[in-house]
Amino acid sequence: PNGQRIFRRQHIGQAASGLTYMLPSEDALAIGPLLQQRFGLPFWQIATTATDANRFALRVARAVTGREKILVFNGCYHGSVDETMVRLIDGKPVNRPGLAGEFRDLTRTAKVIEFNDVSALEAALRDKDVACVIAEPVLTNSCMVLADPGYHDALRKLTRQTGTLLLIDETHTISTGPGGYTRKYGLDPDFFVLGKPIAGGVPASVWGMSDDVASRYADYNRTKEPGYSGMGTTLSANPLQFAAMRATLEEVMTQENYDRMDHLARRLDAGLTGVIDRYRLPWHVSRVGARVEFICAPGPLRNGAEAEMAHAPELEAAIHVALVNRGVLIAPFHNMMLISPATSAAQVNRLITAFGAVAAKLAA
């Protein structure tokens, strides 16, 4: 509650002083060290969405490597970055179906492989034509797919061996801990992206780069033709974003809050799993920190193809409506639940009870 009050006070105070004026603010002096300490990388830029942050980081990766291609994972989610809008169908890379107004063959500059497949990763990087691998630590937009033990180590080793940069997009996995999945599990990316959670609901994102990449990018800028870089927008790094980010980092994303969120998420995981076991449903629960999801298929899932097959749209829609009828609303486009600093034990218990009632009806 104290953190929420401070967030509101700083947010409203800055709004009264001005939303944007295209100049630095005092909060910017605090945000730089906070991002360095929290996430480990030394150089940062502010953007408005994770899509922008990912796009800008990929542009830098291509600039410093001189390579055109990027590598993504089947079933990934990185906002609306064009190059990531590819998938595998029958083992072949294609544009994602349904892309409006997209006439290019995106697979010309993007490779796509399955998550957790080290052999496919090795083969995709072998020609040393990939500028950057853009990866979620856990696939989160097509059910939830956790990394196999040792997979992230292999990913980092192979990217380094082939001169490929590694971007970790934590927008959906910051639920893992105060420094995200990256700090908790010791990942060592060249780029780090964090979107919507960083400013507590105010549109903002951040992207950071390592010392090595920053040095290479400085060298590139000294030799490139002068002109607009294509990175940054008019409203990026406005003072309202800085005020909201500072309050979020200092008062909301605390170890105390994460410990409490993790405790309740474990309770929710165990409760939902208990219901599934009680009614012998062929489902499972997946969790990353404070993010919990029930999946209407056996698990665990290992890649995007398995995650896509696990979707049961009509069944999931019926479960969502049944939960709403019992006074419980979860994310309407996923079977996903996020524990927040404001979530109570009573709310978690109410969700477990409602889920149990719905499962009982389905089992009957």
Side-chain angles (χ1 to χ4, degrees), residues 95 248 264 273:
N95 285 12
T248 301
L264 289 178
T273 299

Side-chain angles (χ1 to χ4, degrees), residues 56 58-67 165 209 212-231:
F56 300 157
L58 291 176
R59 190 181 288 267
V60 171
R62 284 169 162 153
V64 302
T65 63
R67 300 175 181 179
L165 299 176
M209 67 177 86
D212 176 64
V213 172
S215 176
R216 293 165 66 185
Y217 188 48
D219 290 341
Y220 169 84
N221 278 320
R222 280 191 288 269
T223 59
K224 83 173 182 70
E225 180 181 356
Y228 178 54
S229 70
M231 286 175 280

Side-chain angles (χ1 to χ4, degrees), residues 186-199:
L187 307 189
D188 186 21
D190 300 295
F191 298 100
F192 179 99
V193 167
L194 178 56
K196 55 181 76 73
I198 189 64

Side-chain angles (χ1 to χ4, degrees), residues 48-345:
T48 304
T49 69
T51 294
D52 281 345
N54 281 318
R55 187 183 293 119
F56 300 157
L58 291 176
R59 190 181 288 267
V60 171
R62 284 169 162 153
V64 302
T65 63
R67 300 175 181 179
E68 184 180 16
K69 294 186 177 181
I70 67 163
L71 178 64
V72 302
F73 294 102
N74 191 37
C76 68
Y77 181 74
H78 301 288
S80 55
V81 178
D82 287 346
E83 296 96 326
T84 68
M85 295 295 175
V86 293
R87 56 170 289 187
L88 290 173
I89 295 182
D90 297 328
K92 296 180 179 180
V94 298
N95 285 12
R96 285 192 184 184
L99 282 179
E102 184 55 79
F103 303 103
R104 297 169 296 171
D105 177 8
L106 298 176
T107 65
R108 188 183 70 80
T109 56
K111 296 183 179 183
V112 54
I113 63 171
E114 291 290 4
F115 197 63
N116 281 323
D117 188 337
V118 176
S119 296
L121 177 64
E122 191 170 15
L125 298 181
R126 187 175 295 134
D127 291 338
K128 298 184 179 181
D129 58 351
V130 174
C132 188
V133 176
I134 178 170
E136 300 169 271
V138 172
L139 290 186
T140 59
N141 204 54
S142 182
C143 298
M144 199 149 71
V145 180
L146 275 63
D148 288 345
Y151 185 70
H152 280 293
D153 290 337
L155 174 59
R156 181 68 280 194
K157 179 181 178 182
L158 288 169
T159 49
R160 285 206 171 107
Q161 285 177 351
T162 56
T164 304
L165 299 176
L166 175 61
L167 187 161
I168 295 294
D169 181 352
E170 287 263 14
T171 299
H172 285 188
T173 54
I174 194 65
S175 56
T176 309
Y181 193 104
T182 294
R183 290 305 288 267
K184 183 166 183 177
Y185 293 103
L187 307 189
D188 186 21
D190 300 295
F191 298 100
F192 179 99
V193 167
L194 178 56
K196 55 181 76 73
I198 189 64
V202 173
S205 65
V206 296
W207 63 281
M209 67 177 86
S210 68
D211 266 316
D212 176 64
V213 172
S215 176
R216 293 165 66 185
Y217 188 48
D219 290 341
Y220 169 84
N221 278 320
R222 280 191 288 269
T223 59
K224 83 173 182 70
E225 180 181 356
Y228 178 54
S229 70
M231 286 175 280
T233 61
T234 303
L235 296 181
S236 294
N238 68 65
L240 182 62
Q241 288 177 325
F242 277 121
M245 282 191 284
R246 184 173 183 179
T248 301
L249 289 166
E250 290 183 340
E251 306 294 339
V252 180
M253 291 172 61
T254 64
Q255 186 63 58
E256 180 183 8
N257 275 340
Y258 269 100
D259 288 344
R260 184 174 172 279
M261 291 155 56
D262 190 68
H263 172 75
L264 289 178
R266 290 178 184 276
R267 164 71 183 125
L268 179 57
D269 184 350
L272 298 179
T273 299
V275 168
I276 289 169
D277 291 344
R278 185 184 318 140
Y279 294 104
R280 299 180 180 177
L281 297 170
W283 303 353
H284 73 285
V285 177
S286 189
R287 182 176 74 88
V288 56
R291 182 182 178 122
V292 181
E293 185 166 342
F294 66 85
I295 298 164
C296 299
L301 306 174
R302 293 196 64 250
N303 57 47
E306 290 185 9
E308 184 175 8
M309 292 297 294
H311 275 299
E314 292 183 357
L315 173 59
E316 292 166 13
I319 294 170
H320 281 242
V321 173
L323 289 173
V324 169
N325 288 340
R326 289 161 177 78
V328 175
L329 177 66
I330 64 172
F333 42 83
H334 286 291
N335 303 326
M336 185 266 290
M337 298 139 283
L338 277 164
I339 304 296
S340 83
T343 305
S344 69

